[in-house]
Amino acid sequence: MIITLTCNPAVDQTVFVDRLDVGAVNRFHDAQLDPAGKGINVSRVVHRLGYPTIAFGFLAGEIGAVVERALDDEGVQSHFVRLPGQARINVTVVDEASGAATSLYGAGPGVSAEHAEALAQILAYWVQAGSVLVLAGSLPNGLPPDTYADYVRLARAKGVKTILDVDGEAFRAGVAVGPTRIKPNVREAERLLGRALPDLPAVLAGARESLGQGVEVVVISMGAQGAICVEKGQAYRAVPPVVERRSTVGSGDSLVAGLSLALARGEPIRDGLRLGTAAGAATAMTVGTHLGTADEVKSILPQVVVESVA
Ligand SMILES: Nc1ncnc2c1ncn2[C@@H]1O[C@H](COP(=O)(O)OP(=O)(O)OP(=O)(O)O)[C@@H](O)[C@H]1O
Ligand SMILES: [Mg+2]
């Protein structure tokens, strides 16, 4: 079982207009409403790839109910602590004339100490049924930056492996306690290390530097260029095939899904990297916040190149 945690879920609405006219009434002809949140995306991809998963986290109000219902419709199990207030709707307007996407993101409801404790108790119970806990996405107001660090410790105490995918202070605090795997993109890795990673050798050196103190595998993703992955004594580069890119929202989460699946099955990192890279590319081919399907992942899988690098 792969357990995911999303502390700040939302609903993403993507609307498509012929040409965005700021300050005027714009009529959109196409709209998508998707549950959003990094851990939620990981669970959705894991489920599509046929492995058991449950999504945990916080949800609020009617928008929260939309998230729950969408997961239900897809057959993804979930268990959320209810918060007062309202979850966010993140609106993205796609101007089809220019291809530019404009996003409006809200903050989401804050989390009180009581709600945080309620989630911690549920997680402490459920990690016993899991083999991997995925911690992904930003923390809402009210939760301190060391929240993920606490969950990493909690999981480890029960023999459960962890994958951390978050930015900024929460990433730094989480890495310090040694999650099993981490998956920053280049910008997140730069912020973690406090320096620029301008080319492949720099990314590789940065990944190696982040190993240790419990971190067994570091994957730094590089969008269409694939990913660098290091474990003790080994380093790999994964390269996806060239695909028709529509929207890469959720590509990182799809990569994390592949990594978590291989970890849960006890497969070598190369396999997780290959699966994750194919899933990331499949998601890059979908519009808006849609995620790749199992069939798409399967067809891309043989085209992914995973090679050892020195
Ligand atoms: N344009 C693309 N073509 C092919 N594969 C892609 C493309 N963009 C992303 N991918 C695949 O998805 C993986 C993760 O993408 P990326 O590095 O953009 O993650 P991210 O920045 O964490 O994204 P997210 O917005 O989901 O957090 C890449 O390593 C690659 O395998
Ligand atoms: Mg990401």
Side-chain angles (χ1 to χ4, degrees):
M1 175 79 76
I2 293 169
I3 294 173
T4 66
L5 179 61
T6 309
C7 290
N8 208 2
V11 165
D12 273 352
Q13 179 164 42
T14 310
V15 300
F16 299 83
V17 296
D18 291 334
R19 187 180 296 275
L20 181 62
D21 191 357
V22 176
V25 173
N26 291 267
R27 308 219 174 257
F28 52 82
H29 50 83
D30 227 343
Q32 290 176 11
L33 214 52
D34 286 317
K38 294 192 169 293
I40 283 174
N41 283 343
V42 173
S43 273
R44 292 173 68 203
V45 174
V46 165
H47 174 74
R48 287 176 189 199
L49 297 176
Y51 201 82
T53 181
I54 306 189
F56 290 88
F58 300 103
L59 275 183
E62 281 309 301
I63 307 302
V66 171
V67 172
E68 224 162 27
R69 206 159 44 234
L71 289 176
D72 247 17
D73 288 348
E74 273 190 51
V76 177
Q77 283 194 72
S78 65
H79 190 145
F80 291 99
V81 171
R82 308 299 301 192
L83 299 177
Q86 193 66 264
R88 302 164 291 160
I89 298 190
N90 297 329
V91 180
T92 297
V93 182
V94 179
D95 175 331
E96 296 203 308
S98 68
T102 306
S103 296
L104 305 167
Y105 283 11
V111 175
S112 69
E114 293 78 53
H115 290 112
E117 180 54 30
L119 181 65
Q121 282 189 13
I122 293 171
L123 267 185
Y125 177 79
W126 274 96
V127 288
Q128 300 177 94
S131 52
V132 175
L133 171 66
V134 176
L135 306 152
S138 62
L139 293 171
N141 286 333
L143 291 186
D146 60 356
T147 299
Y148 285 145
D150 287 346
Y151 290 137
V152 168
R153 285 201 202 92
L154 181 150
R156 186 162 44 222
K158 310 266 187 196
V160 172
K161 304 199 162 165
T162 46
I163 302 188
L164 181 63
D165 178 9
V166 64
D167 199 1
E169 207 39 49
F171 192 31
R172 194 179 304 279
V175 168
V177 300
T180 319
R181 293 182 179 181
I182 56 175
K183 202 296 295 165
N185 60 28
V186 175
R187 286 178 313 284
E188 291 157 351
E190 286 177 335
R191 279 191 281 272
L192 178 71
L193 294 163
R195 65 167 195 270
L197 303 172
D199 50 24
L200 269 187
V203 172
L204 188 57
R208 285 202 168 108
E209 206 176 301
S210 314
L211 275 182
Q213 292 177 328
V215 179
E216 294 171 10
V217 171
V218 178
V219 177
I220 301 184
S221 66
M222 307 178 296
Q225 293 187 63
I228 286 288
C229 167
V230 301
E231 60 180 348
K232 195 162 175 265
Q234 280 292 346
Y236 306 98
R237 176 167 182 200
V239 182
V242 174
V243 299
E244 197 185 329
R245 174 184 189 273
R246 295 202 179 81
S247 156
T248 59
V249 177
S251 281
D253 310 330
S254 305
L255 172 54
V256 171
L259 295 172
S260 63
L261 240 157
L263 185 59
R265 289 186 190 135
E267 293 168 358
I269 182 63
R270 283 183 84 115
D271 294 349
L273 196 55
R274 182 181 295 279
L275 182 60
T277 301
T283 291
M285 292 169 64
T286 62
V287 289
T289 50
H290 283 187
L291 302 168
T293 65
D295 282 345
E296 285 157 355
V297 176
K298 203 169 150 197
S299 76
I300 293 172
L301 204 55
Q303 304 171 58
V304 174
V305 175
V306 178
E307 57 190 15
S308 291
V309 289

Short mmCIF file of all heavy atoms in Angstrom, two decimals, residues 31-67:
data_model
loop_
_atom_site.label_atom_id
_atom_site.label_comp_id
_atom_site.label_asym_id
_atom_site.label_seq_id
_atom_site.Cartn_x
_atom_site.Cartn_y
_atom_site.Cartn_z
N ALA A 31 -13.94 23.64 -20.42
CA ALA A 31 -13.53 23.78 -19.03
C ALA A 31 -13.23 22.41 -18.44
O ALA A 31 -13.90 21.44 -18.76
CB ALA A 31 -14.63 24.47 -18.23
N GLN A 32 -12.22 22.38 -17.62
CA GLN A 32 -11.88 21.14 -16.91
C GLN A 32 -11.89 21.43 -15.42
O GLN A 32 -11.41 22.47 -15.00
CB GLN A 32 -10.45 20.71 -17.23
CG GLN A 32 -10.21 20.21 -18.60
CD GLN A 32 -8.71 19.93 -18.78
OE1 GLN A 32 -7.95 19.92 -17.83
NE2 GLN A 32 -8.31 19.71 -19.99
N LEU A 33 -12.38 20.51 -14.64
CA LEU A 33 -12.36 20.62 -13.19
C LEU A 33 -11.66 19.38 -12.67
O LEU A 33 -12.16 18.27 -12.87
CB LEU A 33 -13.80 20.67 -12.69
CG LEU A 33 -14.15 21.50 -11.47
CD1 LEU A 33 -13.66 22.92 -11.57
CD2 LEU A 33 -15.66 21.48 -11.26
N ASP A 34 -10.48 19.55 -12.07
CA ASP A 34 -9.71 18.38 -11.61
C ASP A 34 -9.36 18.52 -10.14
O ASP A 34 -9.03 19.62 -9.69
CB ASP A 34 -8.39 18.29 -12.38
CG ASP A 34 -8.59 17.81 -13.80
OD1 ASP A 34 -9.37 16.87 -13.99
OD2 ASP A 34 -7.96 18.38 -14.71
N PRO A 35 -9.37 17.41 -9.41
CA PRO A 35 -8.83 17.48 -8.05
C PRO A 35 -7.33 17.76 -8.14
O PRO A 35 -6.67 17.26 -9.04
CB PRO A 35 -9.08 16.07 -7.49
CG PRO A 35 -9.24 15.18 -8.66
CD PRO A 35 -9.72 16.04 -9.79
N ALA A 36 -6.84 18.61 -7.26
CA ALA A 36 -5.43 18.99 -7.35
C ALA A 36 -4.74 18.86 -6.01
O ALA A 36 -5.37 18.95 -4.96
CB ALA A 36 -5.32 20.43 -7.84
N GLY A 37 -3.47 18.67 -6.07
CA GLY A 37 -2.67 18.47 -4.87
C GLY A 37 -1.68 17.39 -5.21
O GLY A 37 -2.02 16.42 -5.89
N LYS A 38 -0.43 17.57 -4.78
CA LYS A 38 0.63 16.69 -5.28
C LYS A 38 0.46 15.26 -4.82
O LYS A 38 0.57 14.32 -5.61
CB LYS A 38 1.98 17.27 -4.91
CG LYS A 38 2.21 18.58 -5.64
CD LYS A 38 3.60 19.08 -5.57
CE LYS A 38 3.79 20.21 -6.53
NZ LYS A 38 3.71 19.80 -7.93
N GLY A 39 0.19 15.06 -3.52
CA GLY A 39 0.00 13.69 -3.03
C GLY A 39 -1.19 13.03 -3.70
O GLY A 39 -1.16 11.84 -4.05
N ILE A 40 -2.24 13.80 -3.90
CA ILE A 40 -3.45 13.29 -4.58
C ILE A 40 -3.10 12.82 -5.99
O ILE A 40 -3.51 11.75 -6.43
CB ILE A 40 -4.54 14.40 -4.60
CG1 ILE A 40 -5.18 14.50 -3.22
CG2 ILE A 40 -5.58 14.13 -5.68
CD1 ILE A 40 -6.15 15.65 -3.08
N ASN A 41 -2.31 13.62 -6.69
CA ASN A 41 -1.88 13.22 -8.04
C ASN A 41 -1.08 11.92 -8.00
O ASN A 41 -1.24 11.06 -8.86
CB ASN A 41 -1.02 14.31 -8.68
CG ASN A 41 -1.85 15.47 -9.19
OD1 ASN A 41 -3.05 15.34 -9.35
ND2 ASN A 41 -1.21 16.59 -9.43
N VAL A 42 -0.20 11.80 -7.01
CA VAL A 42 0.60 10.58 -6.90
C VAL A 42 -0.34 9.38 -6.71
O VAL A 42 -0.21 8.36 -7.41
CB VAL A 42 1.61 10.67 -5.72
CG1 VAL A 42 2.31 9.33 -5.51
CG2 VAL A 42 2.64 11.77 -5.98
N SER A 43 -1.30 9.50 -5.82
CA SER A 43 -2.25 8.40 -5.61
C SER A 43 -3.03 8.08 -6.88
O SER A 43 -3.26 6.91 -7.20
CB SER A 43 -3.26 8.75 -4.49
OG SER A 43 -2.74 8.39 -3.23
N ARG A 44 -3.42 9.11 -7.62
CA ARG A 44 -4.20 8.86 -8.84
C ARG A 44 -3.38 8.09 -9.86
O ARG A 44 -3.88 7.18 -10.52
CB ARG A 44 -4.69 10.19 -9.44
CG ARG A 44 -5.73 10.86 -8.55
CD ARG A 44 -6.06 12.25 -9.06
NE ARG A 44 -6.78 12.21 -10.32
CZ ARG A 44 -6.80 13.22 -11.18
NH1 ARG A 44 -6.12 14.33 -10.94
NH2 ARG A 44 -7.49 13.11 -12.30
N VAL A 45 -2.10 8.47 -10.01
CA VAL A 45 -1.25 7.76 -10.98
C VAL A 45 -0.94 6.34 -10.49
O VAL A 45 -1.02 5.38 -11.27
CB VAL A 45 0.05 8.56 -11.26
CG1 VAL A 45 0.99 7.77 -12.16
CG2 VAL A 45 -0.28 9.90 -11.90
N VAL A 46 -0.64 6.20 -9.20
CA VAL A 46 -0.37 4.86 -8.66
C VAL A 46 -1.57 3.95 -8.89
O VAL A 46 -1.43 2.80 -9.33
CB VAL A 46 -0.03 4.95 -7.14
CG1 VAL A 46 -0.09 3.59 -6.48
CG2 VAL A 46 1.35 5.57 -6.94
N HIS A 47 -2.75 4.48 -8.63
CA HIS A 47 -3.99 3.70 -8.84
C HIS A 47 -4.14 3.29 -10.30
O HIS A 47 -4.46 2.14 -10.61
CB HIS A 47 -5.18 4.51 -8.37
CG HIS A 47 -6.49 3.86 -8.66
ND1 HIS A 47 -6.95 2.77 -7.96
CD2 HIS A 47 -7.43 4.12 -9.61
CE1 HIS A 47 -8.11 2.39 -8.45
NE2 HIS A 47 -8.43 3.19 -9.45
N ARG A 48 -3.88 4.23 -11.20
CA ARG A 48 -3.98 3.91 -12.64
C ARG A 48 -3.00 2.81 -13.03
O ARG A 48 -3.27 2.02 -13.93
CB ARG A 48 -3.68 5.15 -13.49
CG ARG A 48 -4.80 6.15 -13.43
CD ARG A 48 -4.46 7.41 -14.17
NE ARG A 48 -5.50 8.39 -13.89
CZ ARG A 48 -5.74 9.45 -14.61
NH1 ARG A 48 -5.02 9.70 -15.67
NH2 ARG A 48 -6.71 10.27 -14.29
N LEU A 49 -1.86 2.79 -12.35
CA LEU A 49 -0.85 1.79 -12.67
C LEU A 49 -1.09 0.49 -11.90
O LEU A 49 -0.27 -0.43 -11.95
CB LEU A 49 0.56 2.35 -12.39
CG LEU A 49 0.93 3.57 -13.25
CD1 LEU A 49 2.30 4.13 -12.86
CD2 LEU A 49 0.93 3.21 -14.74
N GLY A 50 -2.20 0.43 -11.19
CA GLY A 50 -2.66 -0.86 -10.65
C GLY A 50 -2.12 -1.25 -9.29
O GLY A 50 -2.13 -2.42 -8.93
N TYR A 51 -1.67 -0.24 -8.50
CA TYR A 51 -1.15 -0.58 -7.18
C TYR A 51 -2.03 0.06 -6.11
O TYR A 51 -2.52 1.17 -6.30
CB TYR A 51 0.29 -0.09 -7.06
CG TYR A 51 1.07 -0.81 -5.98
CD1 TYR A 51 1.64 -2.05 -6.21
CD2 TYR A 51 1.19 -0.25 -4.70
CE1 TYR A 51 2.34 -2.71 -5.22
CE2 TYR A 51 1.88 -0.91 -3.71
CZ TYR A 51 2.46 -2.15 -3.97
OH TYR A 51 3.14 -2.81 -2.98
N PRO A 52 -2.25 -0.63 -4.97
CA PRO A 52 -3.13 -0.06 -3.94
C PRO A 52 -2.56 1.21 -3.30
O PRO A 52 -1.37 1.29 -3.03
CB PRO A 52 -3.22 -1.17 -2.88
CG PRO A 52 -2.57 -2.37 -3.44
CD PRO A 52 -1.76 -1.97 -4.64
N THR A 53 -3.44 2.16 -3.08
CA THR A 53 -3.02 3.45 -2.51
C THR A 53 -4.17 4.10 -1.76
O THR A 53 -5.34 3.87 -2.10
CB THR A 53 -2.51 4.39 -3.63
OG1 THR A 53 -2.09 5.63 -3.05
CG2 THR A 53 -3.56 4.67 -4.69
N ILE A 54 -3.85 4.89 -0.76
CA ILE A 54 -4.85 5.74 -0.10
C ILE A 54 -4.27 7.14 0.04
O ILE A 54 -3.11 7.31 0.42
CB ILE A 54 -5.22 5.27 1.33
CG1 ILE A 54 -5.66 3.82 1.37
CG2 ILE A 54 -6.35 6.15 1.90
CD1 ILE A 54 -6.24 3.41 2.72
N ALA A 55 -5.11 8.14 -0.27
CA ALA A 55 -4.71 9.54 -0.14
C ALA A 55 -5.25 10.09 1.17
O ALA A 55 -6.45 9.97 1.46
CB ALA A 55 -5.25 10.35 -1.32
N PHE A 56 -4.37 10.71 1.96
CA PHE A 56 -4.76 11.36 3.20
C PHE A 56 -4.49 12.85 3.12
O PHE A 56 -3.73 13.29 2.25
CB PHE A 56 -3.94 10.80 4.38
CG PHE A 56 -4.31 9.38 4.70
CD1 PHE A 56 -3.68 8.34 4.06
CD2 PHE A 56 -5.29 9.10 5.63
CE1 PHE A 56 -4.02 7.03 4.34
CE2 PHE A 56 -5.64 7.80 5.92
CZ PHE A 56 -5.00 6.76 5.27
N GLY A 57 -5.08 13.60 4.05
CA GLY A 57 -4.82 15.03 4.10
C GLY A 57 -5.97 15.77 4.73
O GLY A 57 -6.75 15.19 5.52
N PHE A 58 -6.09 17.05 4.41
CA PHE A 58 -7.15 17.89 4.94
C PHE A 58 -8.04 18.34 3.79
O PHE A 58 -7.55 18.57 2.68
CB PHE A 58 -6.56 19.15 5.59
CG PHE A 58 -5.63 18.86 6.72
CD1 PHE A 58 -4.25 18.96 6.54
CD2 PHE A 58 -6.11 18.50 7.98
CE1 PHE A 58 -3.38 18.70 7.59
CE2 PHE A 58 -5.25 18.24 9.02
CZ PHE A 58 -3.88 18.34 8.83
N LEU A 59 -9.33 18.49 4.07
CA LEU A 59 -10.25 19.03 3.06
C LEU A 59 -11.26 19.93 3.74
O LEU A 59 -11.63 19.70 4.90
CB LEU A 59 -11.01 17.91 2.36
CG LEU A 59 -10.33 17.21 1.18
CD1 LEU A 59 -11.29 16.19 0.59
CD2 LEU A 59 -9.89 18.21 0.12
N ALA A 60 -11.73 20.93 3.00
CA ALA A 60 -12.71 21.85 3.59
C ALA A 60 -13.82 22.16 2.59
O ALA A 60 -13.57 22.31 1.39
CB ALA A 60 -12.01 23.14 4.01
N GLY A 61 -15.04 22.25 3.12
CA GLY A 61 -16.17 22.80 2.40
C GLY A 61 -16.60 22.04 1.15
O GLY A 61 -16.21 20.89 0.91
N GLU A 62 -17.40 22.74 0.36
CA GLU A 62 -17.97 22.14 -0.86
C GLU A 62 -16.90 21.81 -1.89
O GLU A 62 -16.98 20.82 -2.61
CB GLU A 62 -18.98 23.11 -1.48
CG GLU A 62 -20.32 23.12 -0.80
CD GLU A 62 -20.87 21.70 -0.64
OE1 GLU A 62 -21.04 21.03 -1.67
OE2 GLU A 62 -21.10 21.28 0.50
N ILE A 63 -15.89 22.66 -1.97
CA ILE A 63 -14.80 22.41 -2.92
C ILE A 63 -14.06 21.14 -2.51
O ILE A 63 -13.68 20.32 -3.35
CB ILE A 63 -13.82 23.62 -2.98
CG1 ILE A 63 -14.57 24.92 -3.26
CG2 ILE A 63 -12.73 23.40 -4.02
CD1 ILE A 63 -15.37 24.93 -4.53
N GLY A 64 -13.90 20.99 -1.18
CA GLY A 64 -13.29 19.76 -0.67
C GLY A 64 -14.09 18.53 -1.07
O GLY A 64 -13.53 17.49 -1.44
N ALA A 65 -15.42 18.68 -1.00
CA ALA A 65 -16.29 17.56 -1.37
C ALA A 65 -16.11 17.19 -2.84
O ALA A 65 -16.21 16.01 -3.22
CB ALA A 65 -17.75 17.91 -1.07
N VAL A 66 -15.84 18.19 -3.67
CA VAL A 66 -15.60 17.92 -5.10
C VAL A 66 -14.35 17.05 -5.26
O VAL A 66 -14.33 16.11 -6.06
CB VAL A 66 -15.44 19.26 -5.89
CG1 VAL A 66 -14.97 19.00 -7.32
CG2 VAL A 66 -16.74 20.04 -5.89
N VAL A 67 -13.32 17.36 -4.48
CA VAL A 67 -12.08 16.58 -4.54
C VAL A 67 -12.38 15.13 -4.16
O VAL A 67 -11.99 14.18 -4.87
CB VAL A 67 -11.01 17.15 -3.56
CG1 VAL A 67 -9.80 16.23 -3.47
CG2 VAL A 67 -10.59 18.55 -3.99
#
